[in-house]
Amino acid sequence: MTIILMRHGKPDYAQSGRLPALAMEAWCEAYDMSRVGDMPPDRCREVAATAEYIVTSPLPRARSSLEKLGLEAAAIDPLFSEVSLPVIRLPSPHLPPAFWLMILRLMWLGGYAGTVESYQQAEQRAQRAADRLIALSAQGNVLLAGHGIMNKLIARQLRKQGWLAEKHASSRYWSTAIYHPPFIQAGD
């Protein structure tokens, strides 16, 4: 009864050029609609093959990652979707999208959410996601095809509930984190 948190593969989406912060909302929407372009490494295939129950975010990069693995989700749930980036309406300067992604994520971590889910709201959603995965693990090994930030938030909630990490969540594409139930269950 393990929980496997897998980050999707590399999206087939170009990050070239320079954009104002104002254009990042459209850039993020296009990124959210992208599918995965690369193939999973053997280690990812091996770990994913141990799952008896598979859940995924509805975003195409997570769902197409399962397709690349030759797997199908038993459940598709927005509970597991990635945390959106806040928007700032600056028409300049024009900078690479990777720079804006870093700045916007740092702003979000620092408390600025604008119209998107706040850090505290994302933590609460991660708690619900962890509870759902724990409940599903009663059916056997569970695989979540998810996303970098949300997987890390879920991993933190699992550790808070005593789940033990065999391998921690990473931000790399196709990374897998494996969690085992506590030796002593609450109420025992």
Side-chain angles (χ1 to χ4, degrees):
M1 297 186 350
T2 61
I3 294 174
I4 305 159
L5 305 177
M6 180 186 77
R7 186 177 183 213
H8 58 79
K10 185 176 182 179
D12 191 14
Y13 186 70
Q15 297 186 23
S16 62
R18 292 173 172 261
L19 304 169
L22 162 61
M24 285 304 293
E25 183 174 20
W27 188 96
C28 288
E29 287 173 8
Y31 178 81
D32 278 348
M33 298 313 297
S34 65
R35 297 176 56 80
V36 167
D38 64 346
M39 294 301 289
D42 290 340
R43 170 75 175 138
C44 184
R45 287 181 187 281
E46 292 165 9
V47 171
T50 67
E52 284 121 7
Y53 194 87
I54 301 168
V55 294
T56 186
S57 150
L59 295 173
R61 60 188 183 270
R63 295 178 68 186
S64 65
S65 293
L66 287 177
E67 290 171 14
K68 297 274 185 174
L69 288 164
L71 300 173
E72 196 170 317
I76 300 166
D77 193 332
L79 181 66
F80 303 112
S81 290
E82 183 61 297
V83 178
S84 296
L85 287 168
V87 175
I88 52 176
R89 305 247 178 245
L90 292 176
S92 63
H94 287 64
L95 299 168
F99 178 82
W100 285 122
L101 292 171
M102 178 186 66
I103 293 300
L104 294 171
R105 187 57 75 201
L106 287 172
M107 289 174 63
W108 180 80
L109 288 168
Y112 175 75
T115 60
V116 301
E117 177 181 44
S118 71
Y119 183 80
Q120 291 76 22
Q121 291 168 326
E123 279 189 315
Q124 292 167 359
R125 180 163 60 94
Q127 177 62 60
R128 292 191 309 274
D131 290 344
R132 172 107 188 270
L133 293 171
I134 290 168
L136 291 171
S137 74
Q139 300 177 38
N141 295 341
V142 177
L143 168 67
L144 166 63
H147 307 276
I149 298 295
M150 183 49 68
N151 281 4
K152 285 186 176 194
L153 293 174
I154 293 169
R156 183 179 304 144
Q157 295 301 326
L158 290 172
R159 288 191 306 272
K160 282 183 180 178
Q161 294 189 47
W163 284 67
L164 307 171
E166 175 182 324
K167 190 173 175 214
H168 290 285
S170 165
S171 295
R172 291 184 336 268
Y173 296 120
W174 295 114
S175 65
T176 54
I178 303 167
Y179 290 86
H180 298 279
F183 291 117
I184 300 172
Q185 300 290 328
D188 286 352

